[in-house]
Amino acid sequence: MSLVETEWVGKNLDRIKIIDCSWHMPQTKRSGLEEYKNRHIPNSIFFDLDDNSKKKTNLPHMLVNINNWEKILSKMGIKENDEIIIYDNSDVISSCRCWFNFIYFGHDPSLVHVLNGGLKKWIKENRKTTNEITNIQISNYKSFEKKELVKNKELINQNINKQEFKVIDARSKERFEGKVQEPREGLRSGNIKNSFCLPFDHCLNKNKTFKNKDELKIIFETCLKSIDKKDVVFSCGSGVTACVLALAYSLINDKYQPCIYDGSWAEYGLT
């Protein structure tokens, strides 16, 4: 199961690897790293979403190459058979992007989970937190790419006419319909032709936990005639909230392998 609950994590702290992947939209002026230094779940390691993305590009959060990924995880002390729990303290549920990265680079999906409700729920339940930085033993992580889990702009354009897969956009309806200006400079407003809009927060409760399976089925049926489709690609503004939808869809379709348009609107909307 892609999601795990706080109670399970609390009972298994000593046998799992815990990752804090808190990332905040620039306009919030919050630092995930600084917040991690002040307070985090014991034994957790910080994953910097900006720093651990492709550097030589003007696009945000693009996947690094496989060599860099192996270096990143080795420095974090992650091993191929580790069970990974990822959480965040973010309104955009950035932990889902880290979850996708692990799956794309070949970590066993059954060993990669997102903490439902994140740090907020953990703290609300008065569970233990710390400001102690976890001691890391460097590993020698080896991975492989599942390239079929990412679409590029060329494939997105070809699909406009071919319609081989459904493109679902996680941005707000106002952004999707071009009624508001994009928060990122240099982008036009609008959407990918023939794509559908499903704002990622429709899949979440007020406390940022995921809605139950019955509710998620109803939500996804607004975009899909059936929820057993495998040919679904998620997009958003910068590749973060697309992964929220990918995880949510995987909860109701256990045959679905998460697939995203990595460039998302940050690439497609360039003027």
Side-chain angles (χ1 to χ4, degrees):
M1 178 65 77
S2 302
L3 278 182
V4 290
E5 300 299 328
T6 51
E7 183 177 0
W8 185 91
V9 173
K11 292 178 179 178
N12 292 276
L13 277 175
D14 294 333
R15 72 170 194 85
I16 55 180
K17 290 289 177 68
I18 310 173
I19 295 174
D20 184 324
C21 183
S22 298
W23 177 85
H24 307 288
M25 295 288 284
Q27 59 266 33
T28 65
K29 300 189 183 304
R30 293 174 61 187
S31 167
L33 177 58
E34 291 306 312
E35 291 178 7
Y36 165 81
K37 290 177 180 178
N38 290 328
R39 192 178 198 184
H40 53 263
I41 296 175
N43 299 330
S44 60
I45 309 161
F46 187 71
F47 183 94
D48 192 315
L49 193 56
D50 287 322
D51 194 44
N52 292 332
S53 297
K54 190 175 181 179
K55 295 290 194 297
K56 296 182 179 179
T57 177
N58 62 342
L59 300 176
H61 309 138
M62 295 291 286
L63 289 163
V64 298
N65 64 41
I66 190 168
N67 290 332
N68 284 337
W69 179 255
E70 290 176 345
K71 291 177 182 177
I72 290 167
L73 290 202
S74 295
K75 287 181 180 178
M76 293 175 67
I78 305 294
K79 299 175 182 177
E80 292 91 337
N81 60 350
D82 279 341
E83 186 156 16
I84 311 294
I85 309 298
I86 310 164
Y87 74 88
D88 63 67
N89 189 26
S90 169
D91 291 335
V92 293
I93 318 301
S94 49
S95 51
C96 294
R97 175 65 199 206
C98 187
W99 165 83
F100 174 82
N101 286 18
F102 269 93
I103 294 174
Y104 175 83
F105 283 109
H107 206 88
D108 184 346
S110 69
L111 295 177
V112 189
H113 318 283
V114 167
L115 177 61
N116 198 18
L119 185 62
K120 288 180 182 178
K121 187 171 185 289
W122 183 272
I123 292 173
K124 188 175 182 180
E125 295 172 350
N126 295 316
R127 298 183 183 274
K128 185 179 179 180
T129 60
T130 184
N131 61 3
E132 294 180 4
I133 303 302
T134 303
N135 183 38
I136 296 174
Q137 292 185 340
I138 303 300
S139 63
N140 185 27
Y141 192 92
K142 297 298 179 184
S143 60
F144 62 93
E145 292 180 88
K146 295 182 178 178
K147 294 186 177 181
E148 69 275 12
L149 302 186
V150 164
K151 303 296 184 186
N152 58 29
K153 186 178 181 182
E154 181 181 359
L155 292 173
I156 293 294
N157 278 331
Q158 290 175 2
N159 187 65
I160 289 174
N161 293 320
K162 291 183 176 181
Q163 287 292 287
E164 293 176 341
F165 51 84
K166 295 282 187 182
V167 178
I168 300 180
D169 193 321
R171 294 176 300 155
S172 69
K173 287 193 174 183
E174 291 78 13
R175 290 173 66 186
F176 182 83
E177 295 173 355
K179 293 179 179 179
V180 296
Q181 187 175 351
E182 282 293 307
R184 195 174 300 277
E185 292 184 10
L187 298 182
R188 68 180 185 274
S189 299
N191 59 74
I192 299 167
K193 187 177 180 180
N194 295 333
S195 62
F196 299 84
C197 180
L198 177 55
F200 78 95
D201 55 4
H202 286 196
C203 296
L204 304 173
N205 297 305
K206 288 184 178 180
N207 65 355
K208 301 301 180 181
T209 57
F210 280 81
K211 292 185 175 179
N212 64 47
K213 288 185 178 181
D214 289 337
E215 292 172 311
L216 290 175
K217 287 177 181 178
I218 294 171
I219 290 166
F220 278 98
E221 282 172 351
T222 64
C223 297
L224 303 170
K225 291 182 179 179
S226 64
I227 55 168
D228 60 355
K229 286 184 170 293
K230 299 178 185 178
D231 50 348
V232 181
V233 177
F234 295 104
S235 179
C236 60
S238 66
V240 175
T241 57
C243 299
V244 178
L245 290 188
L247 187 145
Y249 189 52
S250 74
L251 296 176
I252 57 173
N253 183 349
D254 56 10
K255 296 180 181 178
Y256 178 70
Q257 288 286 305
C259 186
I260 68 168
Y261 169 27
D262 202 24
S264 283
W265 194 252
E267 177 181 45
Y268 207 89
L270 286 171
T271 55

